């Protein structure tokens, strides 16, 4: 077994140990600091053996498709852990369409008593950034869709979505994401604000 496989398996088994049964993403807010540091250190080691160091040139096909978010330190993901009305975050997916330079982030939410379930979806477009790394994209967030799919167990198609609003882009800067590791089943990204995203192929 080569070094890449060994490091990747170590990271994946560590994440699987801390992932909840519903596959909702883990954030650094809910973990001991020593475990956060262990994940960060192992992630850096995995990034160091990236089989596709210039993914925007030679591995765009691998970006395509649906990814499940396993772990993140991003503010927007951490904020999902304190939703109103007792709602809990479930699975968070990212679906990438390389040909159309677009992606969507989809987070499922539900009430633990089954009173309500729904989702939040954000659509966006992206362009390769003009830098020499060939791993950075500039992101433009487009729309945010808020949907209630069931109320008291009853399907609610009229509330799916019940609200569509313009998504927020940060003032004064272009959001960026560096794809720092990419293969057939694992993707690691670093936001321009230093946030970490680890996703596995769904």
């Amino acid at each position: 077994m080569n070094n890449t496989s060994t490091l990747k398996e170590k990271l994946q088994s560590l994440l699987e140990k801390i992932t909840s049964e519903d596959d909702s993403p883990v954030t650094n807010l809910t973990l001991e600091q020593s475990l956060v540091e262990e994940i960060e250190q192992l992630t850096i080691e995995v990034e160091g053996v990236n089989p596709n160091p210039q993914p925007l040139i030679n591995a765009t096909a691998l970006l395509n498709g649906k990814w499940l978010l396993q772990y993140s330190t991003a503010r927007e993901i951490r904020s999902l852990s304190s939703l109103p009305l007792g709602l809990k975050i479930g699975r968070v997916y990212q679906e990438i369409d390389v040909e159309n330079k677009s992606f969507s982030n989809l987070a499922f939410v539900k009430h633990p008593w089954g009173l309500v379930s729904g989702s939040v979806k954000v659509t966006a477009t992206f362009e390769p950034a003009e830098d020499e790394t060939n791993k950075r994209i500039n992101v433009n967030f487009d729309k945010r869709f808020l949907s209630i799919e069931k109320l008291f167990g009853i399907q609610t198609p009229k509330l799916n979505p019940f609200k569509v609003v313009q998504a927020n882009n940060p003032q004064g800067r272009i959001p960026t994401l560096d794809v720092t590791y990419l293969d057939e089943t694992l993707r690691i990204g670093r936001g321009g604000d230093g946030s970490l995203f680890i996703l596995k192929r769904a």
Side-chain angles (χ1 to χ4, degrees), residues 22-196:
D22 63 359
D23 278 339
S24 59
V26 180
T27 73
N28 57 319
L29 278 186
T30 58
L31 300 177
E32 295 278 339
Q33 185 58 31
S34 59
L35 189 49
V36 172
E37 289 168 6
E38 187 181 350
I39 292 170
E40 175 64 25
Q41 182 55 43
L42 197 45
T43 300
I44 290 169
E45 290 174 26
V46 171
E47 289 169 326
V49 293
N50 183 8
N52 294 292
Q54 294 185 312
L56 301 183
I57 285 185
N58 54 23
T60 52
L62 289 178
L63 285 169
N64 250 337
K66 194 172 184 180
W67 298 84
L68 176 70
L69 181 64
Q70 293 179 281
Y71 176 81
S72 182
T73 62
R75 184 175 51 82
E76 62 268 26
I77 303 299
R78 294 188 316 205
S79 67
L80 294 172
S81 63
S82 54
L83 294 169
L85 308 174
L87 291 168
K88 298 289 181 193
I89 185 70
R91 292 179 180 183
V92 176
Y93 292 103
Q94 184 173 74
E95 192 148 11
I96 301 176
D97 181 344
V98 170
E99 189 178 348
N100 291 308
K101 294 183 179 172
S102 66
F103 67 86
S104 61
N105 295 334
L106 179 63
F108 288 99
V109 295
K110 62 185 175 186
H111 196 279
W113 298 346
L115 303 178
V116 60
S117 63
S119 62
V120 180
K121 181 167 88 168
V122 178
T123 57
T125 54
F126 65 88
E127 288 280 347
E130 290 183 7
D131 75 336
E132 292 161 10
T133 65
N134 296 307
K135 64 182 180 183
R136 177 169 295 175
I137 58 169
N138 293 332
V139 177
N140 179 59
F141 293 105
D142 182 24
K143 289 193 169 59
R144 185 183 293 264
F145 299 79
L146 306 175
S147 300
I148 293 175
E149 286 154 17
K150 282 185 183 177
L151 269 176
F152 304 104
I154 299 164
Q155 298 276 359
T156 52
K158 288 186 178 173
L159 298 177
N160 190 0
F162 69 89
K163 194 174 186 181
V164 180
V165 294
Q166 204 63 32
N168 293 330
N169 283 291
Q171 291 289 319
R173 70 176 178 89
I174 297 171
T176 63
L177 180 76
D178 286 2
V179 181
T180 56
Y181 182 94
L182 179 65
D183 67 16
E184 288 79 4
T185 59
L186 178 69
R187 177 161 60 89
I188 300 171
R190 301 269 183 180
D193 57 358
S195 52
L196 171 63

